[in-house]
Amino acid sequence: MKKIVIIGGVAAGLKAAAKARRCDPKASIIVLERGELISYGACGMPYYVSGDVKDIDDLMKTPVGAMRNSTFFKNVKDITVLTKTEATAIDREAKTVKVQKRVSGEEEVIPYDKLVIATGASAIKPPLAGVELSNIYQLWHPDDAKAVRQGLEGNQFKSAVIIGAGLIGMEMAEALTKWKIPVTVVEMKNQVFPAFLDTEIGGIVGKYVQDKGITLLLDEKVVRFTGDTSVAAVETDKRSIPADLVILAIGARPNVELAKAAGLVIGSTGAIVVDEEMRTSDPDIYAGGDCVENVNVMSGKKVFAPMGSTANKHGRIIGENLCGGHLKFKGVLTTAVAQIHSLSVGKTGLTERDTKQLGYDYITTMVAGHDKPHYMPGAKLITVKLIVDANTSKVLGMQAVGEGDVSKRIDVVATVLTLGGSIEDLFDIDLSYAPPYNSPIDNVVVAANTLMNKLAGKFKGISSLEAKEKMTSGDTVFLDVRSPEECKQIRLADYENITYIPLGQLRSRLVELNKNDEIIAFCKISLRGYEAEGILEGVGFENVKVLEGGIVSWPFVCDKKNDC
Amino acid sequence: MKKIVIIGGVAAGLKAAAKARRCDPKASIIVLERGELISYGACGMPYYVSGDVKDIDDLMKTPVGAMRNSTFFKNVKDITVLTKTEATAIDREAKTVKVQKRVSGEEEVIPYDKLVIATGASAIKPPLAGVELSNIYQLWHPDDAKAVRQGLEGNQFKSAVIIGAGLIGMEMAEALTKWKIPVTVVEMKNQVFPAFLDTEIGGIVGKYVQDKGITLLLDEKVVRFTGDTSVAAVETDKRSIPADLVILAIGARPNVELAKAAGLVIGSTGAIVVDEEMRTSDPDIYAGGDCVENVNVMSGKKVFAPMGSTANKHGRIIGENLCGGHLKFKGVLTTAVAQIHSLSVGKTGLTERDTKQLGYDYITTMVAGHDKPHYMPGAKLITVKLIVDANTSKVLGMQAVGEGDVSKRIDVVATVLTLGGSIEDLFDIDLSYAPPYNSPIDNVVVAANTLMNKLAGKFKGISSLEAKEKMTSGDTVFLDVRSPEECKQIRLADYENITYIPLGQLRSRLVELNKNDEIIAFCKISLRGYEAEGILEGVGFENVKVLEGGIVSWPFVCDKKNDC
């Protein structure tokens, strides 16, 4: 009878256990979990804090309401889960794991034939003065989530500061605003989601969250926390922010102490090195989930990219391979998606920043449009940024943001990336079309078409960042081809050299423009901007560009004008 | 100056015109449209009839509200659109089109260098007695939609019959139920969506629409319509159905008369034959949209598959190629999606029926599950059917149905099909994961995993159709492993040999089952059914199968039981 021991009872560990049981009905399978809870949906915690998820137990239940506890795993899967049981050492020679009961302090040695390390990751706690004050939380364990929610329900918190504008930080910002308390997000870098969005997409998100009442402080560093026993203020390098609730969300590091002490190879990312079959440097020890490093399939580089979906895949692969299988994990695209109020934002594959660093000859575009026909109720705009290899037209990465359906487009492009597809392939896909779900030409196909036009020299776009640069000299003419009504509602701010000619009048008002000027044409989403480029080029203008994504994708300040 | 003439001013024709203008600012571009309206979103008509779209003009406007009429095309794109102008003959030798003004009857001959035929398709009108009675409509033109909506607003219609349970028929059934009049759908074949769903998926949809109060009459043929001047009843081969509104939705046929008279090659599908560059048998004449046949890329066969998204692609390709380009249209996957009340249903690629006909050695599975974590508000179930080549594990087709997000999964699989991916590729995709959008293991990945298990002999499933067959002998044990509470709400009906043992008790109640029996295990979605299979096989049962998709995917009658 094979003895399988698994350290860690959340995603990867229990998935591996379940799969191993499936492959080998006779094996002894023991899961060691140092905490009290197992198999919880950690990614659901922000939605519990917000109140969307009523009960914390819902995160630990099966779809039909059974608690996934030790009894459940014993009865259903014949898996022994020992909770409050910490693995303290691995003896690879003897093939044993030393464990300590956290309540009694009792120690025990458990033998294994195959061992799985699924020790997860921990939230990083910055070594700042006052960080141990109470009401400073890391949303890393259901107990944290419970404490925060309890305080919110008891009206204990009057204002919150979140440190870090990454995934958990922004999800928590949204969760806390639902309790109608002022929320400030402090981020060291100059944008939200600095790890996975390009600057201009981050800028769009930043504008949105500030519109929703979240105070966003970028390029700002927390230096200490003050207060008596509980936190009272967050001191940054620029100001002091009163706060009686602080959420630390500055990232995570893999829990590798046990693996390291056992002499297993740790990678340059700080996470455990595994091969494609999820084996560590010891062939009898597998590792998976948030404690291992992954290959980024787009760059070929090792990355630390913890994600619940990846952990589940690792678990499946490990479970099979524990029983002699040879499943392989190919790697990650560092796909990510998040919801902030009604805004969805996501990415897959390389950002433009990554692409540049890797030395690609690349080309990008940014297009905005409705996620279904504009006449349908509920049609919303999204902005898609697509990045492709300029030589092969292979898709390298994509980002999307908007109130429309972003995740569908992310998933389509993630599929293209996995299969090595090009923008021509994107055009070829016979995507589902019906007005409740999609426009006849999907947003990602519009992006692919735009890039084909760009590569063929038929479309000259300019990104919002480059266009903003052009504003410094004042020489460039920004040509706004929207209607006067639209212009009165919103327009580009902080620039004087804007000419307003509605598209329908452009052919008859050409005298108002100068062929020698550099002209940047745009509208709400720059579809009319693109028409304007065509009209002007058709009559011999040679220096016309389209502002990609239009006003809806403009990451800088906008204002109104009464006399458009 | 190149002379481009385009016959047809809806999707493909105007897209080709716009693209051609882009590529050639100097060309003369004339679009001939026999109707009064151009560039309308025909697919939006059911949503106008339902009232979701307020104004019929919304289907003809740009996203910012400009009417896409002749003036718009002249001012913005310098394209001449002649409405109420019918092309009556093509002289390929002289390279001219003869046109007739529909109002004045005046005739004219227009010369071309390149001609585009985008004459679309027409709804089929069955040659039945009474078909010309008033209030019998074909939802094919905005005028029909306006007439139907007007009648509904005036409470003119007391009950409606729809002939044909295809896309338009079912969309109209939903639209009409919103007006709270009784709706009956009559379909000749034995299921809804007979052209694009397998029987059991069609069965799930059929159950749903009947639950929503739509009367569905399958295997039933309309023989005549009766009434004085307007329709009063629909007579079928089985009954007489009173109706003062009838919608004919039995399909469409391509408008090829003009092409045929000009001697262009018509295919076996009845539509115009074009090559990959959308050229007809005359190199100076292109054709696109609903009047041409397409290649089904999965089967390699020619099909007549009109779809607005395809027409738009054709238009783009034709527009480029008119100016010397060589873009190619690769073909269609016959992807389709529809919404009926809260239910979404769709397909891409081959159905099982297609696969069988083509002689594939194939394998299928059907899995049900939530479209995001069950603890999230708004999480809904979907059922996915995946069909793969048993020898290569290449994905061949997929269908999905449920109240959850179906279109995203359709689009991911459509992408896999376009790029020739396998179920292993499906597993590899790093899909976006966050609780508002997705579970850590997406529904299509669960389906891929299940098929990998099946191919490896680790999962024995049985389809609902086969399971229903097993009920005829009465020997097969159906093992329901749900809780008694669930069983009291709904259970499989019309079968006595069902054993009820909740999954958590199965290991301790094995004596209640017989190892020699054929056992079909199931639950709500058959996840616990799968666990039950594992438990039973682990103790030596050799004839256990899992009912794929569980009760939620059971296309036959269910009832309740008080003593589970």
Side-chain angles (χ1 to χ4, degrees), chain A residues 22 61 75 77 313 320 333 335 344 374 407-408 411 427 429-430 432 437 458 507 530-531 533, chain B residues 22 61 75 77 313 320 333 335 344 374 407-408 411 427 429-430 432 437 458 507 530-531 533 538:
Chain A
R22 193 75 202 184
K61 283 180 179 167
N75 285 347
K77 296 168 195 272
K313 288 186 180 180
E320 282 271 354
L333 300 168
T335 308
S344 296
H374 60 86
S407 81
K408 174 158 80 171
D411 284 355
F427 175 82
I429 307 166
D430 189 6
S432 61
Y437 307 109
K458 290 174 185 165
R507 285 185 194 274
Y530 172 63
E531 297 283 1
E533 184 208 1
Chain B
R22 193 76 201 183
K61 283 181 178 167
N75 284 347
K77 296 168 196 276
K313 288 186 181 180
E320 282 273 353
L333 300 168
T335 307
S344 298
H374 60 86
S407 81
K408 175 158 79 170
D411 284 354
F427 175 82
I429 307 164
D430 190 6
S432 61
Y437 308 108
K458 291 174 183 164
R507 286 184 195 274
Y530 173 61
E531 297 284 1
E533 183 208 3

Short mmCIF file of all heavy atoms in Angstrom, two decimals, chain A residues 22 61 75 77 313 320 333 335 344 374 407-408 411 427 429-430 432 437 458 507 530-531 533, chain B residues 22 61 75 77 313 320 333 335 344 374 407-408 411 427 429-430 432 437 458 507 530-531 533 538:
data_model
loop_
_atom_site.label_atom_id
_atom_site.label_comp_id
_atom_site.label_asym_id
_atom_site.label_seq_id
_atom_site.Cartn_x
_atom_site.Cartn_y
_atom_site.Cartn_z
N ARG A 22 -8.46 8.92 -6.58
CA ARG A 22 -9.15 8.45 -7.76
C ARG A 22 -8.31 7.44 -8.54
O ARG A 22 -8.81 6.44 -9.05
CB ARG A 22 -9.44 9.67 -8.65
CG ARG A 22 -10.40 9.41 -9.74
CD ARG A 22 -11.81 9.33 -9.21
NE ARG A 22 -12.65 8.60 -10.14
CZ ARG A 22 -13.94 8.42 -10.00
NH1 ARG A 22 -14.57 8.90 -8.94
NH2 ARG A 22 -14.62 7.73 -10.88
N LYS A 61 -17.84 25.36 1.59
CA LYS A 61 -18.87 24.36 1.31
C LYS A 61 -18.82 23.89 -0.13
O LYS A 61 -18.34 24.59 -1.02
CB LYS A 61 -20.25 24.97 1.59
CG LYS A 61 -20.59 25.03 3.07
CD LYS A 61 -21.97 25.63 3.27
CE LYS A 61 -22.32 25.66 4.76
NZ LYS A 61 -23.51 26.51 5.01
N ASN A 75 -15.16 10.54 4.76
CA ASN A 75 -16.33 9.79 4.29
C ASN A 75 -16.40 9.67 2.78
O ASN A 75 -16.69 8.61 2.24
CB ASN A 75 -17.63 10.46 4.77
CG ASN A 75 -17.87 10.23 6.24
OD1 ASN A 75 -17.21 9.38 6.86
ND2 ASN A 75 -18.79 10.98 6.81
N LYS A 77 -13.92 10.62 0.39
CA LYS A 77 -12.73 10.29 -0.40
C LYS A 77 -11.74 9.37 0.32
O LYS A 77 -10.68 9.06 -0.22
CB LYS A 77 -12.02 11.59 -0.81
CG LYS A 77 -12.87 12.46 -1.75
CD LYS A 77 -12.28 13.86 -1.92
CE LYS A 77 -13.28 14.82 -2.52
NZ LYS A 77 -13.31 14.87 -3.97
N LYS A 313 -4.72 23.25 -11.08
CA LYS A 313 -4.10 22.45 -12.15
C LYS A 313 -2.92 21.66 -11.62
O LYS A 313 -2.74 20.49 -11.94
CB LYS A 313 -3.62 23.37 -13.28
CG LYS A 313 -4.74 23.95 -14.09
CD LYS A 313 -4.14 24.72 -15.27
CE LYS A 313 -5.24 25.32 -16.11
NZ LYS A 313 -4.69 26.08 -17.24
N GLU A 320 -2.24 12.76 -10.43
CA GLU A 320 -2.05 11.74 -11.48
C GLU A 320 -0.64 11.17 -11.42
O GLU A 320 -0.44 9.96 -11.52
CB GLU A 320 -2.24 12.37 -12.86
CG GLU A 320 -3.67 12.59 -13.28
CD GLU A 320 -4.26 11.37 -14.00
OE1 GLU A 320 -3.52 10.41 -14.26
OE2 GLU A 320 -5.48 11.39 -14.26
N LEU A 333 0.24 32.08 -18.30
CA LEU A 333 0.25 33.29 -19.12
C LEU A 333 0.16 34.52 -18.23
O LEU A 333 0.02 35.64 -18.73
CB LEU A 333 -0.96 33.28 -20.08
CG LEU A 333 -1.07 32.12 -21.06
CD1 LEU A 333 -2.45 32.10 -21.71
CD2 LEU A 333 0.01 32.25 -22.14
N THR A 335 -2.31 35.33 -16.63
CA THR A 335 -3.64 35.91 -16.84
C THR A 335 -4.19 36.40 -15.50
O THR A 335 -3.99 35.74 -14.47
CB THR A 335 -4.59 34.84 -17.41
OG1 THR A 335 -3.99 34.25 -18.54
CG2 THR A 335 -5.95 35.45 -17.78
N SER A 344 -14.53 46.09 -15.07
CA SER A 344 -13.74 44.86 -15.16
C SER A 344 -12.41 45.22 -15.80
O SER A 344 -12.35 46.04 -16.70
CB SER A 344 -14.44 43.85 -16.06
OG SER A 344 -15.67 43.46 -15.51
N HIS A 374 -24.80 48.36 -29.73
CA HIS A 374 -25.10 49.50 -28.86
C HIS A 374 -26.58 49.66 -28.60
O HIS A 374 -26.97 50.26 -27.61
CB HIS A 374 -24.54 50.78 -29.49
CG HIS A 374 -25.11 51.07 -30.84
ND1 HIS A 374 -26.28 51.75 -31.00
CD2 HIS A 374 -24.71 50.71 -32.08
CE1 HIS A 374 -26.57 51.81 -32.30
NE2 HIS A 374 -25.62 51.19 -32.97
N SER A 407 -13.89 39.60 -19.34
CA SER A 407 -13.29 38.29 -19.09
C SER A 407 -13.43 37.37 -20.31
O SER A 407 -12.54 36.56 -20.58
CB SER A 407 -13.87 37.63 -17.84
OG SER A 407 -15.11 37.01 -18.10
N LYS A 408 -14.51 37.52 -21.06
CA LYS A 408 -14.67 36.69 -22.27
C LYS A 408 -13.54 36.97 -23.25
O LYS A 408 -12.97 36.04 -23.83
CB LYS A 408 -16.03 36.96 -22.91
CG LYS A 408 -16.21 36.26 -24.24
CD LYS A 408 -17.67 36.07 -24.62
CE LYS A 408 -18.29 37.32 -25.21
NZ LYS A 408 -19.64 37.01 -25.76
N ASP A 411 -10.25 35.57 -22.13
CA ASP A 411 -10.17 34.11 -22.29
C ASP A 411 -9.96 33.71 -23.75
O ASP A 411 -9.25 32.75 -24.03
CB ASP A 411 -11.42 33.45 -21.71
CG ASP A 411 -11.38 33.41 -20.19
OD1 ASP A 411 -10.33 33.80 -19.61
OD2 ASP A 411 -12.37 32.99 -19.57
N PHE A 427 -8.87 36.94 -36.42
CA PHE A 427 -9.90 37.32 -37.39
C PHE A 427 -10.70 36.10 -37.85
O PHE A 427 -11.91 36.18 -38.03
CB PHE A 427 -9.25 37.99 -38.61
CG PHE A 427 -10.22 38.31 -39.72
CD1 PHE A 427 -10.99 39.46 -39.67
CD2 PHE A 427 -10.37 37.46 -40.81
CE1 PHE A 427 -11.90 39.77 -40.69
CE2 PHE A 427 -11.28 37.75 -41.83
CZ PHE A 427 -12.03 38.91 -41.77
N ILE A 429 -11.52 33.35 -36.29
CA ILE A 429 -12.37 32.62 -35.34
C ILE A 429 -13.84 32.96 -35.57
O ILE A 429 -14.21 34.13 -35.64
CB ILE A 429 -12.01 32.96 -33.88
CG1 ILE A 429 -10.52 32.75 -33.62
CG2 ILE A 429 -12.83 32.10 -32.91
CD1 ILE A 429 -10.05 33.38 -32.32
N ASP A 430 -14.64 31.94 -35.69
CA ASP A 430 -16.08 32.13 -35.86
C ASP A 430 -16.69 32.25 -34.46
O ASP A 430 -17.24 31.31 -33.90
CB ASP A 430 -16.64 30.92 -36.62
CG ASP A 430 -18.09 31.11 -37.05
OD1 ASP A 430 -18.64 32.22 -36.86
OD2 ASP A 430 -18.67 30.13 -37.56
N SER A 432 -19.13 33.43 -31.38
CA SER A 432 -20.60 33.38 -31.27
C SER A 432 -21.17 34.78 -31.44
O SER A 432 -20.69 35.73 -30.82
CB SER A 432 -21.02 32.81 -29.93
OG SER A 432 -20.55 33.59 -28.86
N TYR A 437 -25.21 38.97 -26.64
CA TYR A 437 -23.89 38.56 -26.19
C TYR A 437 -22.74 39.23 -26.89
O TYR A 437 -21.64 39.31 -26.35
CB TYR A 437 -23.72 37.04 -26.40
CG TYR A 437 -24.81 36.24 -25.78
CD1 TYR A 437 -25.76 35.59 -26.56
CD2 TYR A 437 -24.91 36.15 -24.40
CE1 TYR A 437 -26.78 34.87 -25.99
CE2 TYR A 437 -25.93 35.42 -23.82
CZ TYR A 437 -26.87 34.78 -24.61
OH TYR A 437 -27.88 34.09 -24.04
N LYS A 458 -1.92 51.06 -43.36
CA LYS A 458 -3.20 51.68 -43.71
C LYS A 458 -3.86 52.39 -42.54
O LYS A 458 -4.97 52.91 -42.67
CB LYS A 458 -4.17 50.62 -44.24
CG LYS A 458 -3.76 50.09 -45.59
CD LYS A 458 -4.66 48.95 -46.01
CE LYS A 458 -4.16 48.36 -47.32
NZ LYS A 458 -4.76 47.07 -47.59
N ARG A 507 -15.62 66.89 -44.72
CA ARG A 507 -15.28 67.04 -46.14
C ARG A 507 -15.54 68.47 -46.64
O ARG A 507 -14.86 68.93 -47.55
CB ARG A 507 -16.10 66.06 -46.99
CG ARG A 507 -15.61 64.62 -46.89
CD ARG A 507 -16.38 63.69 -47.84
NE ARG A 507 -16.14 62.30 -47.49
CZ ARG A 507 -15.11 61.56 -47.92
NH1 ARG A 507 -14.21 62.10 -48.72
NH2 ARG A 507 -14.95 60.32 -47.54
N TYR A 530 -11.05 57.53 -36.96
CA TYR A 530 -10.47 56.72 -38.03
C TYR A 530 -11.05 57.14 -39.39
O TYR A 530 -10.33 57.27 -40.39
CB TYR A 530 -10.77 55.25 -37.72
CG TYR A 530 -10.43 54.25 -38.79
CD1 TYR A 530 -9.11 54.06 -39.21
CD2 TYR A 530 -11.41 53.44 -39.35
CE1 TYR A 530 -8.81 53.10 -40.17
CE2 TYR A 530 -11.12 52.47 -40.30
CZ TYR A 530 -9.81 52.32 -40.71
OH TYR A 530 -9.52 51.37 -41.66
N GLU A 531 -12.36 57.42 -39.41
CA GLU A 531 -12.97 57.94 -40.65
C GLU A 531 -12.32 59.26 -41.05
O GLU A 531 -12.05 59.52 -42.22
CB GLU A 531 -14.48 58.18 -40.46
CG GLU A 531 -15.29 56.94 -40.16
CD GLU A 531 -15.54 56.08 -41.39
OE1 GLU A 531 -15.06 56.44 -42.48
OE2 GLU A 531 -16.20 55.04 -41.25
N GLU A 533 -9.31 60.31 -40.39
CA GLU A 533 -7.98 60.05 -40.95
C GLU A 533 -8.11 59.69 -42.44
O GLU A 533 -7.38 60.20 -43.28
CB GLU A 533 -7.30 58.89 -40.20
CG GLU A 533 -5.87 58.62 -40.66
CD GLU A 533 -5.42 57.17 -40.47
OE1 GLU A 533 -6.20 56.34 -40.00
OE2 GLU A 533 -4.26 56.89 -40.83
N ARG B 22 -11.70 52.97 -48.02
CA ARG B 22 -10.51 53.12 -47.20
C ARG B 22 -9.24 52.82 -48.01
O ARG B 22 -8.22 53.51 -47.90
CB ARG B 22 -10.62 52.16 -46.01
CG ARG B 22 -9.62 52.41 -44.93
CD ARG B 22 -10.02 53.62 -44.12
NE ARG B 22 -8.85 54.15 -43.44
CZ ARG B 22 -8.89 55.17 -42.61
NH1 ARG B 22 -10.02 55.79 -42.34
NH2 ARG B 22 -7.80 55.59 -42.02
N LYS B 61 -28.76 53.08 -36.45
CA LYS B 61 -27.93 54.20 -36.03
C LYS B 61 -26.52 53.76 -35.68
O LYS B 61 -26.28 52.62 -35.32
CB LYS B 61 -28.57 54.86 -34.80
CG LYS B 61 -29.76 55.74 -35.13
CD LYS B 61 -30.32 56.37 -33.87
CE LYS B 61 -31.48 57.30 -34.22
NZ LYS B 61 -32.25 57.68 -33.02
N ASN B 75 -21.60 61.70 -46.97
CA ASN B 75 -20.79 62.70 -46.25
C ASN B 75 -19.54 62.09 -45.63
O ASN B 75 -18.46 62.66 -45.69
CB ASN B 75 -21.60 63.34 -45.13
CG ASN B 75 -22.59 64.34 -45.68
OD1 ASN B 75 -22.50 64.73 -46.84
ND2 ASN B 75 -23.53 64.76 -44.86
N LYS B 77 -18.26 58.78 -46.02
CA LYS B 77 -17.42 57.83 -46.74
C LYS B 77 -17.36 58.10 -48.25
O LYS B 77 -16.71 57.35 -48.97
CB LYS B 77 -17.93 56.40 -46.49
CG LYS B 77 -17.80 55.98 -45.00
CD LYS B 77 -18.56 54.69 -44.73
CE LYS B 77 -18.79 54.45 -43.25
NZ LYS B 77 -17.66 53.80 -42.55
N LYS B 313 -17.35 39.82 -42.03
CA LYS B 313 -16.00 39.38 -42.43
C LYS B 313 -15.87 39.35 -43.94
O LYS B 313 -14.86 39.79 -44.51
CB LYS B 313 -15.71 37.98 -41.87
CG LYS B 313 -15.49 37.96 -40.38
CD LYS B 313 -15.07 36.56 -39.95
CE LYS B 313 -14.87 36.52 -38.45
NZ LYS B 313 -14.45 35.18 -38.02
N GLU B 320 -11.03 44.80 -49.24
CA GLU B 320 -9.57 44.78 -49.44
C GLU B 320 -9.22 44.25 -50.82
O GLU B 320 -8.36 44.80 -51.51
CB GLU B 320 -8.92 43.86 -48.40
CG GLU B 320 -8.77 44.45 -47.02
CD GLU B 320 -7.46 45.24 -46.86
OE1 GLU B 320 -6.62 45.21 -47.79
OE2 GLU B 320 -7.30 45.88 -45.81
N LEU B 333 -17.36 27.90 -38.47
CA LEU B 333 -17.50 26.78 -37.53
C LEU B 333 -18.98 26.52 -37.26
O LEU B 333 -19.33 25.73 -36.41
CB LEU B 333 -16.81 27.11 -36.21
CG LEU B 333 -15.31 27.39 -36.25
CD1 LEU B 333 -14.85 27.99 -34.93
CD2 LEU B 333 -14.55 26.10 -36.54
N THR B 335 -20.81 28.40 -35.68
CA THR B 335 -21.06 28.81 -34.30
C THR B 335 -22.42 29.52 -34.23
O THR B 335 -22.77 30.27 -35.14
CB THR B 335 -19.97 29.79 -33.85
OG1 THR B 335 -18.70 29.19 -34.09
CG2 THR B 335 -20.10 30.12 -32.37
N SER B 344 -29.27 30.60 -21.88
CA SER B 344 -28.38 30.78 -23.02
C SER B 344 -28.10 29.41 -23.60
O SER B 344 -27.94 28.44 -22.86
CB SER B 344 -27.06 31.41 -22.58
OG SER B 344 -27.26 32.68 -22.04
N HIS B 374 -19.84 28.83 -6.60
CA HIS B 374 -21.25 28.75 -6.20
C HIS B 374 -21.59 29.74 -5.10
O HIS B 374 -22.74 30.12 -4.93
CB HIS B 374 -21.57 27.33 -5.74
CG HIS B 374 -20.74 26.89 -4.58
ND1 HIS B 374 -21.08 27.15 -3.28
CD2 HIS B 374 -19.54 26.25 -4.53
CE1 HIS B 374 -20.14 26.68 -2.48
NE2 HIS B 374 -19.18 26.13 -3.22
N SER B 407 -21.82 32.02 -23.63
CA SER B 407 -21.14 32.54 -24.82
C SER B 407 -19.62 32.59 -24.63
O SER B 407 -18.87 32.38 -25.57
CB SER B 407 -21.70 33.91 -25.22
OG SER B 407 -21.14 34.95 -24.45
N LYS B 408 -19.18 32.85 -23.39
CA LYS B 408 -17.73 32.85 -23.15
C LYS B 408 -17.12 31.49 -23.45
O LYS B 408 -16.06 31.40 -24.08
CB LYS B 408 -17.44 33.25 -21.69
CG LYS B 408 -15.97 33.16 -21.32
CD LYS B 408 -15.62 34.01 -20.11
CE LYS B 408 -16.00 33.41 -18.80
NZ LYS B 408 -15.41 34.17 -17.67
N ASP B 411 -16.98 30.75 -27.13
CA ASP B 411 -15.92 31.48 -27.82
C ASP B 411 -14.54 30.89 -27.54
O ASP B 411 -13.68 30.88 -28.43
CB ASP B 411 -15.97 32.96 -27.42
CG ASP B 411 -17.11 33.69 -28.12
OD1 ASP B 411 -17.77 33.07 -28.98
OD2 ASP B 411 -17.35 34.87 -27.83
N PHE B 427 -6.90 22.21 -21.37
CA PHE B 427 -6.44 22.17 -19.97
C PHE B 427 -5.32 23.20 -19.76
O PHE B 427 -5.25 23.85 -18.72
CB PHE B 427 -5.92 20.77 -19.62
CG PHE B 427 -5.31 20.67 -18.25
CD1 PHE B 427 -6.12 20.50 -17.13
CD2 PHE B 427 -3.94 20.75 -18.06
CE1 PHE B 427 -5.57 20.42 -15.85
CE2 PHE B 427 -3.38 20.67 -16.79
CZ PHE B 427 -4.19 20.50 -15.69
N ILE B 429 -4.76 26.11 -21.12
CA ILE B 429 -5.05 27.54 -21.21
C ILE B 429 -5.14 28.17 -19.83
O ILE B 429 -5.84 27.67 -18.97
CB ILE B 429 -6.37 27.82 -21.97
CG1 ILE B 429 -6.39 27.12 -23.32
CG2 ILE B 429 -6.59 29.32 -22.16
CD1 ILE B 429 -7.79 27.02 -23.92
N ASP B 430 -4.41 29.24 -19.65
CA ASP B 430 -4.44 29.98 -18.38
C ASP B 430 -5.62 30.97 -18.46
O ASP B 430 -5.44 32.16 -18.71
CB ASP B 430 -3.10 30.70 -18.21
CG ASP B 430 -2.93 31.31 -16.82
OD1 ASP B 430 -3.80 31.08 -15.96
OD2 ASP B 430 -1.92 31.99 -16.61
N SER B 432 -8.80 33.33 -17.37
CA SER B 432 -8.89 34.34 -16.31
C SER B 432 -9.68 33.79 -15.14
O SER B 432 -10.74 33.19 -15.32
CB SER B 432 -9.57 35.59 -16.86
OG SER B 432 -10.88 35.32 -17.29
N TYR B 437 -16.18 36.20 -12.11
CA TYR B 437 -16.20 35.80 -13.52
C TYR B 437 -16.08 34.32 -13.78
O TYR B 437 -16.50 33.84 -14.82
CB TYR B 437 -15.07 36.49 -14.28
CG TYR B 437 -15.04 37.98 -14.10
CD1 TYR B 437 -14.06 38.59 -13.34
CD2 TYR B 437 -16.05 38.75 -14.66
CE1 TYR B 437 -14.06 39.95 -13.14
CE2 TYR B 437 -16.06 40.12 -14.46
CZ TYR B 437 -15.06 40.72 -13.71
OH TYR B 437 -15.07 42.07 -13.51
N LYS B 458 -10.48 6.00 -16.93
CA LYS B 458 -10.66 6.28 -15.50
C LYS B 458 -12.04 6.84 -15.17
O LYS B 458 -12.31 7.17 -14.03
CB LYS B 458 -9.61 7.28 -15.04
CG LYS B 458 -8.22 6.71 -15.02
CD LYS B 458 -7.20 7.77 -14.69
CE LYS B 458 -5.80 7.19 -14.76
NZ LYS B 458 -4.79 8.24 -14.81
N ARG B 507 -20.03 4.71 1.66
CA ARG B 507 -19.03 3.72 2.09
C ARG B 507 -19.58 2.80 3.18
O ARG B 507 -19.18 1.64 3.29
CB ARG B 507 -17.77 4.43 2.61
CG ARG B 507 -16.91 5.02 1.51
CD ARG B 507 -15.61 5.63 2.05
NE ARG B 507 -14.98 6.48 1.04
CZ ARG B 507 -14.16 6.03 0.09
NH1 ARG B 507 -13.84 4.76 0.03
NH2 ARG B 507 -13.64 6.86 -0.79
N TYR B 530 -19.82 11.05 -9.65
CA TYR B 530 -18.45 10.66 -10.00
C TYR B 530 -17.71 10.14 -8.76
O TYR B 530 -17.00 9.13 -8.83
CB TYR B 530 -17.76 11.88 -10.60
CG TYR B 530 -16.28 11.75 -10.89
CD1 TYR B 530 -15.80 10.81 -11.79
CD2 TYR B 530 -15.37 12.61 -10.28
CE1 TYR B 530 -14.43 10.72 -12.06
CE2 TYR B 530 -14.01 12.54 -10.55
CZ TYR B 530 -13.55 11.60 -11.43
OH TYR B 530 -12.21 11.52 -11.70
N GLU B 531 -17.90 10.79 -7.63
CA GLU B 531 -17.30 10.29 -6.38
C GLU B 531 -17.83 8.89 -6.07
O GLU B 531 -17.08 8.01 -5.66
CB GLU B 531 -17.65 11.22 -5.20
CG GLU B 531 -17.12 12.63 -5.29
CD GLU B 531 -15.63 12.73 -4.98
OE1 GLU B 531 -14.99 11.70 -4.73
OE2 GLU B 531 -15.11 13.86 -5.04
N GLU B 533 -18.93 6.64 -8.15
CA GLU B 533 -18.28 5.68 -9.06
C GLU B 533 -16.92 5.28 -8.49
O GLU B 533 -16.59 4.10 -8.43
CB GLU B 533 -18.10 6.29 -10.46
CG GLU B 533 -17.51 5.31 -11.48
CD GLU B 533 -16.72 5.97 -12.61
OE1 GLU B 533 -16.56 7.22 -12.61
OE2 GLU B 533 -16.23 5.23 -13.48
N GLY B 538 -13.58 1.32 -6.23
CA GLY B 538 -12.51 1.07 -5.26
C GLY B 538 -12.74 -0.19 -4.45
O GLY B 538 -11.80 -0.82 -3.98
#
